[in-house]
């Protein structure tokens, strides 16, 4: 089969790029190895309740904001079922070290006012933090859907998160309030760039939303738009080789035996996996190939999804983020203890408003914790059960996590009707990550060139998209999809169309 553009992987980056290109008249095909599309957008159900596999809330979706404009141009915004989180508290931050809690509010002015009430003696530090947040975001043209150049980003790219917070003269307690939801970007004391924190945090401060009925609706709506523009998704098609001919990719060969030829190929899977598919490894310089293959990955997670007994647990229209100690040191503590943190996401019972029908509880865990089962796979392409030792180990970890959660929220365990546990292997098998890591390649401010990628590769007709390029998350991946599309149609042209009233 021959298409103009073949995209490998139907995560948000692949789907949104496909829609934007198809809208411009390109003949686009997406190859997906699983039955369900969407990557991190996937939803699943058990006990008649819907759960999100990874995306539990989304930022910048208010009218006029960046993600709203992107989704509106893609033709899906008006079809999404959304619920805005509490304006006074989209994220509650709980410090296990001193047993204090803080509510993070939406809208930057409201956000700072509320922090001032918690830290009345630190208003100068809070004001400076807010200024640096906006200053940094303003230096990322795509975040503002405008033209610009790389030199703007370079002015702030090498700022370290922990150093910037110290320079504001914020107290340790205020710093913990500001980074208490660092699970959103797997923040680390000595590595995380301030821009990563700023772009993610600002998007949720602007506005925070749940997808009622699951985040899978985003991928379904993108699929509808893709079909409307003549694009195609081929499911159950796992690419086993990208055939190189005369310095370019000639075709994608799948395990099914099908072959897909194209003028251009866009990979929405991990860069390491993309490189491994090349039939001729010599097409890339060894130094580049080694850099990608040896790039450190972000931490993994374990998630306990629970269906609750009806009308027993009050619904919270905000998320809870608990850290045992310093949120930016949590990942380094994992080798010694578990859990070091958790986040709780509630889903409201539409039949009984005011009550929660389910919760998802997420906690860091090293992906190597499950190394004994790294050669086992279980997804729709190759369904198989893992051994009893895995099931027992997984259950033990979930129980340990719930023991800590129950110290503050005993009602969750008391009123649990049923539950399922997802491990890094679950994420790897269904979302196509390398080891089940949360956000792909880890961004390291100390070696930005080694941990940063662009959409273009040294192979002239091979491009990258997805969370490993620029920034992770729904907004970050959507911004990268714009870059991937602009490689074909031009950035100024595309931004003019997106920004057109």
């Amino acid at each position: 089969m021959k298409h103009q553009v073949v995209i490998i992987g139907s995560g948000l980056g692949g789907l949104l790029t496909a829609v934007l290109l198809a809208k411009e008249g390109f003949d686009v095909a997406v190859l997906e190895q699983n039955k369900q599309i969407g990557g991190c957008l996937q939803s699943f159900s058990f006990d008649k309740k819907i759960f999100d596999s990874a995306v539990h809330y989304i930022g910048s979706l208010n009218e006029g904001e960046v993600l709203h404009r992107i989704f509106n141009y893609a033709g899906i915004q008006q079809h999404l079922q959304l619920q805005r989180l509490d304006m006074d508290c989209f994220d509650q931050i709980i410090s296990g070290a001193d047993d204090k809690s803080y509510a993070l509010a939406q809208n930057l002015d409201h956000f700072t006012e509320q922090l001032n009430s918690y830290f009345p003696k630190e208003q100068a530090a809070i004001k400076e933090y807010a200024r640096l947040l906006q200053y940094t975001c303003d230096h990322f043209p795509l975040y503002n859907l405008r033209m610009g150049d790389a030199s703007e980003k370079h002015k702030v790219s090498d700022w370290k998160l922990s150093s910037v917070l110290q320079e504001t003269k914020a107290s340790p307690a205020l710093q913990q309030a500001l980074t208490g939801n660092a699970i959103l970007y797997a923040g680390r004391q000595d590595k995380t760039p301030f821009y990563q924190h700023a772009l993610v945090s600002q998007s949720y401060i602007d506005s925070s939303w749940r997808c009622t009925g699951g985040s899978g609706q985003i991928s379904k709506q993108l699929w509808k738009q893709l079909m409307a523009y003549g694009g195609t998704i081929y499911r159950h098609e796992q690419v086993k080789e990208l055939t190189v001919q005369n310095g370019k990719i000639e075709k994608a060969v799948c395990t099914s035996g099908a072959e897909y030829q194209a003028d251009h190929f866009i990979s929405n899977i991990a860069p390491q996996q993309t490189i491994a598919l090349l039939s001729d490894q010599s097409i890339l310089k060894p130094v580049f190939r080694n850099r990608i293959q040896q790039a450190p990955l972000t931490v993994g997670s374990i998630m306990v999804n629970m269906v609750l007994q009806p009308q027993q647990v009050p619904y919270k229209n905000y998320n809870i983020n608990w850290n045992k100690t310093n949120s930016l040191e949590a990942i380094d503590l994992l080798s010694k203890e578990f859990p070091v943190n958790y986040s709780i996401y509630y889903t409201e019972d539409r039949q009984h408003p005011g009550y929660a029908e389910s919760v998802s509880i997420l906690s860091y865990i090293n992906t190597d914790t499950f190394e004994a089962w790294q050669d086992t796979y279980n997804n729709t392409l190759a369904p198989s059960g893992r051994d009893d030792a895995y099931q027992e180990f997984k259950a033990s970890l979930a129980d340990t996590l719930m023991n800590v959660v129950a110290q503050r929220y005993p009602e969750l365990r008391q009123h649990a009707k049923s539950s399922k546990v997802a491990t890094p292997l679950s994420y790897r098998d269904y979302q196509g990550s390398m080891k089940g890591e949360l956000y792909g390649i880890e961004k390291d401010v100390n070696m930005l060139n080694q941990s940063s990628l662009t959409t273009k590769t040294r192979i002239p007709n091979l491009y990258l998209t997805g969370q490993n390029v620029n920034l992770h998350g729904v907004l970050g991946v959507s911004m990268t999809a714009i870059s991937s599309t602009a490689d074909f149609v031009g950035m100024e042209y595309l931004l003019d169309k997106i920004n057109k009233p």
Side-chain angles (χ1 to χ4, degrees), residues 9-12 14-15 30-44 53 215-227 232-236 268 380 430-431:
S10 71
L12 174 60
L15 286 175
V30 179
L31 307 180
E32 170 55 50
Q33 68 173 355
N34 287 313
K35 177 182 179 181
Q36 187 175 170
I37 64 168
C40 292
L41 292 173
Q42 291 181 55
S43 300
F44 64 95
S53 63
S215 59
Q217 62 181 289
I218 298 175
S219 53
K220 290 176 182 176
Q221 291 300 330
L222 286 170
W223 190 1
K224 287 182 180 179
Q225 290 297 315
L226 180 59
M227 289 191 297
T232 308
I233 297 179
Y234 298 98
R235 293 179 293 167
H236 298 295
N268 187 43
T380 54
Y430 282 93
Q431 297 176 3

Side-chain angles (χ1 to χ4, degrees), residues 292-303:
I292 297 301
Q293 292 171 339
Q294 296 170 12
L297 304 174
T298 49
V299 70
S301 64
I302 188 168
M303 184 162 63

Side-chain angles (χ1 to χ4, degrees), residues 447-478:
M447 39 192 283
L448 282 176
N449 289 336
Q450 287 82 357
S451 60
S452 300
L453 296 169
T454 62
T455 54
K456 293 181 179 179
T457 73
R458 294 183 181 273
I459 303 173
N461 69 333
L462 176 63
Y463 306 81
L464 304 177
T465 197
Q467 69 174 1
N468 290 283
V469 186
N470 291 325
L471 188 69
H472 65 276
V474 174
L475 176 55
V477 170
S478 297

Side-chain angles (χ1 to χ4, degrees), residues 162 166 176 179 182 186-190 192 323-337 340-341 364:
S162 57
Q166 290 171 8
Q176 284 308 293
T179 64
R188 301 187 72 169
Q189 188 80 22
D190 298 322
T192 301
N323 297 280
K324 185 172 184 179
T325 55
N326 186 328
S327 58
L328 299 183
E329 295 176 352
I331 294 173
D332 296 320
L333 291 174
L334 272 178
S335 59
K336 300 176 183 178
E337 56 186 308
V340 294
N341 68 340
Y364 285 153

Side-chain angles (χ1 to χ4, degrees), residues 228-288:
Y229 291 119
T232 308
I233 297 179
Y234 298 98
R235 293 179 293 167
H236 298 295
E237 288 289 33
Q238 182 180 36
V239 178
K240 69 175 182 179
E241 179 184 277
L242 291 174
T243 304
V244 178
Q245 191 74 31
N246 298 322
K248 300 173 104 177
I249 307 299
E250 179 189 39
K251 60 186 176 182
V253 181
C254 297
T255 54
S256 66
E259 298 182 353
Y260 297 88
Q261 295 180 317
D263 299 320
H264 305 278
F265 293 84
I266 302 174
S267 177
N268 187 43
I269 62 176
Q272 302 93 322
Q273 295 168 329
T274 305
I275 290 174
L277 293 174
L278 297 173
S279 65
D280 180 4
Q281 293 288 307
S282 67
I283 196 171
L284 294 175
K285 292 182 178 179
V287 63
F288 174 78

Side-chain angles (χ1 to χ4, degrees), residues 163-451:
S163 298
V164 170
L165 292 176
Q166 290 171 8
E167 289 168 7
T168 65
K169 296 183 169 49
S171 66
L174 175 55
Q175 290 185 41
Q176 284 308 293
L178 295 172
T179 64
N181 54 4
I183 196 170
L184 293 170
Y185 47 90
R188 301 187 72 169
Q189 188 80 22
D190 298 322
K191 293 186 176 184
T192 301
F194 181 72
Y195 81 80
Q196 189 178 27
H197 162 86
L199 295 174
V200 172
S201 298
Q202 182 69 60
S203 71
Y204 289 109
I205 293 170
D206 284 344
S207 64
S208 294
W209 308 78
R210 292 200 205 286
C211 288
T212 58
S215 59
Q217 62 181 289
I218 298 175
S219 53
K220 290 176 182 176
Q221 291 300 330
L222 286 170
W223 190 1
K224 287 182 180 179
Q225 290 297 315
L226 180 59
M227 289 191 297
Y229 291 119
T232 308
I233 297 179
Y234 298 98
R235 293 179 293 167
H236 298 295
E237 288 289 33
Q238 182 180 36
V239 178
K240 69 175 182 179
E241 179 184 277
L242 291 174
T243 304
V244 178
Q245 191 74 31
N246 298 322
K248 300 173 104 177
I249 307 299
E250 179 189 39
K251 60 186 176 182
V253 181
C254 297
T255 54
S256 66
E259 298 182 353
Y260 297 88
Q261 295 180 317
D263 299 320
H264 305 278
F265 293 84
I266 302 174
S267 177
N268 187 43
I269 62 176
Q272 302 93 322
Q273 295 168 329
T274 305
I275 290 174
L277 293 174
L278 297 173
S279 65
D280 180 4
Q281 293 288 307
S282 67
I283 196 171
L284 294 175
K285 292 182 178 179
V287 63
F288 174 78
R289 198 165 60 243
N290 292 336
R291 175 167 74 85
I292 297 301
Q293 292 171 339
Q294 296 170 12
L297 304 174
T298 49
V299 70
S301 64
I302 188 168
M303 184 162 63
V304 179
N305 296 297
M306 304 172 63
V307 175
L308 302 171
Q309 295 169 346
Q311 301 183 75
Q312 295 297 321
V313 177
Y315 169 70
K316 290 179 170 57
N317 196 34
Y318 57 87
N319 313 301
I320 295 169
N321 299 271
W322 173 88
N323 297 280
K324 185 172 184 179
T325 55
N326 186 328
S327 58
L328 299 183
E329 295 176 352
I331 294 173
D332 296 320
L333 291 174
L334 272 178
S335 59
K336 300 176 183 178
E337 56 186 308
F338 172 84
V340 294
N341 68 340
Y342 62 74
S343 295
I344 306 177
Y345 308 99
Y346 291 76
T347 301
E348 189 171 23
D349 186 341
R350 294 299 169 184
Q351 301 299 316
H352 305 100
Y355 290 95
E357 69 174 19
S358 64
V359 293
S360 295
I361 303 169
L362 192 70
S363 182
Y364 285 153
I365 197 162
N366 285 325
T367 55
D368 290 342
T369 304
F370 294 87
E371 190 173 7
W373 298 278
Q374 66 178 350
D375 295 326
T376 65
Y377 292 86
N378 180 27
N379 57 25
T380 54
L381 190 69
S384 63
R386 294 190 171 96
D387 61 23
D388 291 342
Y390 169 81
Q391 303 299 336
E392 292 169 3
F393 182 55
K394 181 173 73 170
S396 174
L397 287 170
D399 189 57
T400 300
L401 172 59
M402 288 308 302
N403 285 339
V404 175
V405 172
Q407 292 173 15
R408 288 180 176 273
Y409 308 101
E411 69 276 10
L412 298 183
R413 170 168 273 175
Q414 179 183 353
H415 297 295
K417 182 183 176 189
S418 57
S419 65
K420 285 187 179 295
V421 182
T423 72
L425 296 183
S426 311
Y427 291 105
R428 181 201 67 182
D429 292 354
Y430 282 93
Q431 297 176 3
S433 57
M434 290 294 293
K435 292 185 175 182
E437 64 276 6
L438 276 170
Y439 308 121
I441 294 174
E442 183 177 55
K443 297 290 190 294
D444 188 340
V445 72
N446 305 297
M447 39 192 283
L448 282 176
N449 289 336
Q450 287 82 357
S451 60

